[in-house]
Amino acid sequence: MEIDTLREQVAAASRRLAAEGLVLGTAGNVSGRAGEQVAITPTGAELASLEAGDVTVVALNGAVLAGTLAPTSEIDLHLGVYRRYDAGAVVHTHAPMATALACVLEDELPCVHYAMLALGGAVPVAPYRTFGTPELADAVLDALEGKTAALMANHGAIAWAADVDKAVDSSLLLEWACGVYWRAAQIGTPQALTAEQQQDVVRAAIERSYGTPKQLEDE
Ligand SMILES: [Zn+2]
């Protein structure tokens, strides 16, 4: 993919996250990877009005390759995900529901709905560390083992995916799941799906190509 196309995608994803209410003002950051280059949102920029030209391009070691604005302070977190996992995009937000639950849940957001299996099931909570530090990046990268999303204690949420659109979709899915859990917790103790129930969902999804449109068959 052309790096300028990727910069457009990162800017569009930032605006979409702002429009969906997952990011407020300058809080949150998005990146996408094309080979050895990463297009990443700049620090201190309003995500609701971000343009492709505002998006900075860095190498996987963090060296700035293009752009006029300094990259997000969470650059170590983004680059760490690319180095450790097979990610094409990373989204980090302070989304309201996810952040609220990340102030209460200690270990994980239980897998209370089968749609959460798209995120790897239960969503782990990474321990609190100061924003923008290598310690935060290390804690979150460890939490992401076997998962594509995590909550960050007293901070927010992160999701990675094959491309920018999918990473935004995962962030929206995580925020929705946090809302489901939050509402359920108001009226009782949310019940998690068992490991067997989760395996059955994965099996059924594979058998039925769940989530993709299908042509009606002629009778
Ligand atoms: Zn943050």
Side-chain angles (χ1 to χ4, degrees):
M1 185 194 300
E2 291 282 332
I3 194 68
D4 284 339
T5 306
L6 190 59
R7 290 170 94 182
E8 295 274 3
Q9 288 182 2
V10 167
S14 301
R15 298 193 299 268
R16 183 176 164 210
L17 288 164
E20 296 277 6
L22 266 64
V23 305
L24 193 63
T26 65
N29 29 78
V30 179
S31 69
R33 174 181 179 173
E36 299 299 302
Q37 297 187 324
V38 174
I40 190 163
T41 49
T43 187
E46 285 282 338
L47 295 182
S49 55
L50 207 72
E51 298 290 342
D54 303 324
V55 177
T56 306
V57 181
V58 299
L60 284 174
N61 64 8
V64 174
L65 302 175
T68 57
L69 301 172
T72 170
S73 52
E74 297 295 3
I75 187 170
D76 284 346
L77 181 57
H78 287 254
L79 297 181
V81 172
Y82 295 120
R83 288 193 216 104
R84 185 148 153 191
Y85 302 105
D86 191 23
V90 179
V91 169
H92 163 56
T93 73
H94 300 172
M97 280 292 175
T99 305
L101 294 194
C103 296
V104 175
L105 296 173
E106 290 177 14
D107 299 324
E108 64 179 24
L109 170 67
C111 184
V112 290
H113 194 283
Y114 73 87
M116 292 175 67
L117 288 166
L119 307 172
V123 176
V125 182
Y128 179 80
R129 300 286 186 270
T130 307
F131 83 95
T133 60
E135 289 76 18
L136 176 65
D138 286 347
V140 174
L141 290 175
D142 285 348
L144 283 171
E145 195 69 53
K147 306 284 180 176
T148 59
L151 297 177
M152 296 157 62
N154 301 88
H155 184 154
I158 184 168
W160 68 264
D163 61 45
V164 175
D165 280 347
K166 290 194 179 80
V168 172
D169 289 343
S170 291
S171 299
L172 289 164
L173 174 61
L174 176 57
E175 184 67 357
W176 173 82
C178 287
V180 167
Y181 184 90
W182 184 85
R183 288 183 179 88
Q186 306 308 302
I187 52 172
T189 305
Q191 303 297 308
L193 296 175
T194 64
E196 190 183 0
Q197 287 170 330
Q198 294 182 41
Q199 285 159 9
D200 286 346
V201 170
V202 172
R203 207 172 299 128
I206 292 169
E207 281 169 9
R208 297 174 204 170
S209 311
Y210 181 74
T212 50
K214 286 182 275 291
Q215 299 287 336
L216 288 169
E217 285 170 28
D218 293 331
E219 298 278 317

